[in-house]
Amino acid sequence: KAGVTQTPRYLIKTRGQQVTLSCSPISGHRSVSWYQQTPGQGLQFLFEYFSETQRNKGNFPGRFSGRQFSNSRSEMNVSTLELGDSALYLCASSLQGRGQETQYFGPGTRLLVL
Amino acid sequence: AQSVSQHNHHVILSEAASLELGCNYSYGGTVNLFWYVQYPGQHLQLLLKYFSGDPLVKGIKGFEAEFIKSKFSFNLRKPSVQWSDTAEYFCAVNSMMNSGYSTLTFGKGTMLLVSP
C-alpha cells in the first residue's frame, strides 16, 4: 500500500506571496491532519479534515487554511507569507481520525520564505 | 491546553549503552500515547503506542515504553542502543479536545546520537 505523499517536496517563496501544498493520504484513510515543524517550536498541529469538513483547528492565524476533496486528498494554503512561515509542513492520515488510530506521516514539504 | 515535555533535547550514547528518554504530559483525562521516530532524511514513523491495558508496551526495533499514570509519564527505553538508532524521537499525546475530536500534541523532540 502506498504511503502518504506530499507535493511539492521543496518550495521557495518570497514574503507576501501565497502557497498551496498538497497531500494524498493512504488509500482508504479519510482523516488528514496537517502539522508545522520548526526547530524552535517543534511539531504543531494546524488542522484536521474528515469527509471534506474541518473538524479541528490549531492555534494558527487565518492566513493558514485548508480543504479536503471527496477523494480525501487535502490541500493547505498559506496566504501573505511571512519569514516565520519557513518550516517543514507535514501531512498525516488515519482511517477516521479517532484517538486510538495511528497517524501515518508523509515526507513533508519544506517551505523557505525569503 | 495540554502540553508534552521531553526532558532532554540531545542525548549522546555509545553503542550497547542503555537508553531512557523521558516524556511527561499535562492532560489529566483519558489519553492515548505515542512515540514517533524520525531517522535522518526519513519521515516520522511510529515506534509504539499505548491506549489501555498493560502499561508496559513493546514497539519495533527493541524499544519499549512504560505508562505511569500517577506521574503523567510515558518514558521510552531500550536496553542496548545501536548506531542505527541515531534519530530524533518524539513523544505525542492524543486526547479529546473541546470539539470532541482528538489530535496529536507533540513534545519538542530528543535528538539521539549513538557513536559506534
Side-chain angles (χ1 to χ4, degrees), chain A residues 3-109:
Chain A
V4 178
T5 58
Q6 292 186 245
T7 57
R9 294 293 310 277
Y10 303 93
L11 265 180
I12 300 176
K13 293 284 186 179
T14 56
R15 277 184 301 173
Q17 286 187 308
Q18 68 95 25
V19 67
T20 299
L21 313 180
S22 180
C23 170
S24 292
I26 291 172
S27 177
H29 285 192
R30 295 170 63 194
S31 169
V32 173
S33 297
W34 289 88
Y35 295 85
Q36 182 195 64
Q37 185 177 17
T38 59
Q41 299 297 318
L43 279 146
Q44 294 185 286
F45 171 75
L46 279 156
F47 28 65
E48 185 248 357
Y49 285 87
F50 178 80
S51 290
E52 303 177 65
T53 301
Q54 186 183 90
R55 291 197 303 192
N56 222 343
K57 190 178 191 311
N59 190 25
F60 278 82
R63 299 185 297 107
F64 292 81
S65 63
R67 59 177 176 168
Q68 187 181 35
F69 302 95
S70 58
N71 61 358
S72 294
R73 189 178 69 85
S74 177
E75 288 181 347
M76 69 162 280
N77 183 77
V78 189
S79 62
T80 318
L81 283 165
E82 300 177 0
L83 295 179
D85 297 333
S86 294
L88 181 66
Y89 290 89
L90 295 171
C91 165
S93 76
S94 64
L95 281 168
Q96 297 192 31
R98 294 197 177 126
Q100 296 185 357
E101 294 173 6
T102 298
Q103 291 192 29
Y104 294 86
F105 285 81
T109 293

Side-chain angles (χ1 to χ4, degrees), chain A residues 35 45 55 99-100 102-103 106, chain B residues 32 36 49 51 102-104:
Chain A
Y35 295 85
F45 171 75
R55 291 197 303 192
Q100 296 185 357
T102 298
Q103 291 192 29
Chain B
N32 304 304
Y36 280 86
K49 58 187 178 182
F51 300 146
S102 54
T103 188
L104 283 175

Side-chain angles (χ1 to χ4, degrees), chain B residues 33-92:
Chain B
L33 300 159
F34 304 80
W35 275 98
Y36 280 86
V37 61
Q38 192 169 33
Y39 296 104
Q42 297 187 27
H43 55 270
L44 275 169
Q45 303 171 38
L46 181 71
L47 265 182
L48 48 78
K49 58 187 178 182
Y50 172 79
F51 300 146
S52 63
D54 188 344
L56 186 62
V57 292
K58 296 189 185 301
I60 61 172
K61 305 187 180 186
F63 286 91
E64 63 179 32
E66 184 177 13
F67 168 56
I68 303 179
K69 189 174 181 179
S70 61
K71 295 185 178 179
F72 297 90
S73 71
F74 189 55
N75 293 353
L76 180 71
R77 299 196 291 250
K78 186 171 184 178
S80 175
V81 295
Q82 301 172 318
W83 176 78
S84 58
D85 293 324
T86 293
E88 191 162 17
Y89 293 80
F90 294 90
C91 179

